[in-house]
Amino acid sequence: MTASPPADLPPPELNLTDALVQLSFIVQAVLGRHGLSVTRLRKLAVLDGREIGMRHLAGILELEKSSVTGLVDRAERRGLVQRIAVPGNRRAVHVTVTPAGRAVVHQVREATGTETGRLAATLSDSRQDTFHRTVEALIHQSTPSRCKTGPRHAVRGLRNRYETNLPRAAPSGSVFACAATTSPRSSP
């Protein structure tokens, strides 16, 4: 049996990688309570309010088409998405989120917002701002071409939409679907 450290000792310092991974575990735990993975949530968010061809969806999610087919199959069985035949092309199929899928995305946004808001509330305004700018810079460096709305928009959206105690106006769009920059009807 291992003894737990005394309560008066500070927690061990985490390096940047460990800190980011631990933070992602917090978000993944919220998703898990809703039966979702990051990829499954991102798929729903990408599809929210639009029809997308399977190949286009695979490109946005950076997955093989066969993997996306499996994701869509499972989500369709849960009633979260539906396939729509493309008029004039018997082989083409678009996918869109159902009202039930949209409700799940909304629930996860709310739950994630509650959790990240609770965590953010433990930081001073100055530390929240520093954290926000640091994460924004990291995202900007790692994914400059993925988001037409820009990584800055995605991080600002995260801060505003989920950390409701922080003062800034929430942008339109979904932070879960950073690459969801398609028109309402895309080619297959």
Side-chain angles (χ1 to χ4, degrees):
M1 186 166 136
T2 56
S4 57
D8 59 349
L9 288 181
E13 284 197 31
L14 299 173
N15 66 36
L16 180 60
T17 300
D18 289 338
L20 291 173
V21 168
Q22 292 295 322
L23 191 56
S24 77
F25 290 158
I26 292 168
V27 173
Q28 289 177 43
V30 172
L31 298 178
R33 289 193 294 268
H34 293 273
L36 295 173
S37 66
V38 172
T39 302
R40 288 177 180 160
L41 175 62
R42 188 165 177 229
K43 173 200 58 197
L44 291 175
V46 165
L47 294 171
D48 193 10
R50 60 186 55 87
E51 292 177 21
I52 298 177
M54 293 289 281
R55 187 176 313 156
H56 192 177
L57 181 58
I60 291 171
L61 296 177
E62 298 178 18
L63 296 171
E64 294 295 322
K65 188 172 177 280
S66 60
S67 296
V68 172
T69 299
L71 282 170
V72 169
D73 287 346
R74 287 185 291 281
E76 192 173 40
R77 282 193 297 271
R78 288 180 64 186
L80 303 176
V81 301
Q82 65 182 13
R83 287 179 166 95
I84 301 168
V86 176
N89 187 343
R90 293 182 316 164
R91 294 175 45 183
V93 174
H94 283 173
V95 183
T96 190
V97 71
T98 63
R102 192 168 292 113
V104 168
V105 171
H106 178 75
Q107 290 168 359
V108 171
R109 282 183 180 139
E110 290 296 317
T112 305
T114 299
E115 187 65 20
T116 57
R118 184 184 63 76
L119 293 172
T122 66
L123 301 174
S124 68
D125 288 346
S126 173
R127 289 188 77 174
Q128 287 180 32
D129 191 55
T130 299
F131 178 72
H132 170 242
R133 285 184 284 117
T134 302
V135 172
E136 185 176 78
L138 291 172
I139 291 172
H140 179 71
Q141 290 301 311
S142 69
T143 60
S145 65
R146 289 189 187 163
C147 305
K148 268 190 183 177
T149 56
R152 294 177 53 106
H153 173 82
V155 174
R156 192 169 295 114
L158 178 67
R159 178 181 174 101
N160 290 316
R161 195 169 275 183
Y162 304 116
E163 298 172 6
T164 55
N165 60 327
L166 300 176
R168 287 195 184 147
S172 62
S174 172
V175 300
F176 291 126
C178 184
T181 57
T182 60
S183 60
R185 279 191 82 95
S186 305
S187 59

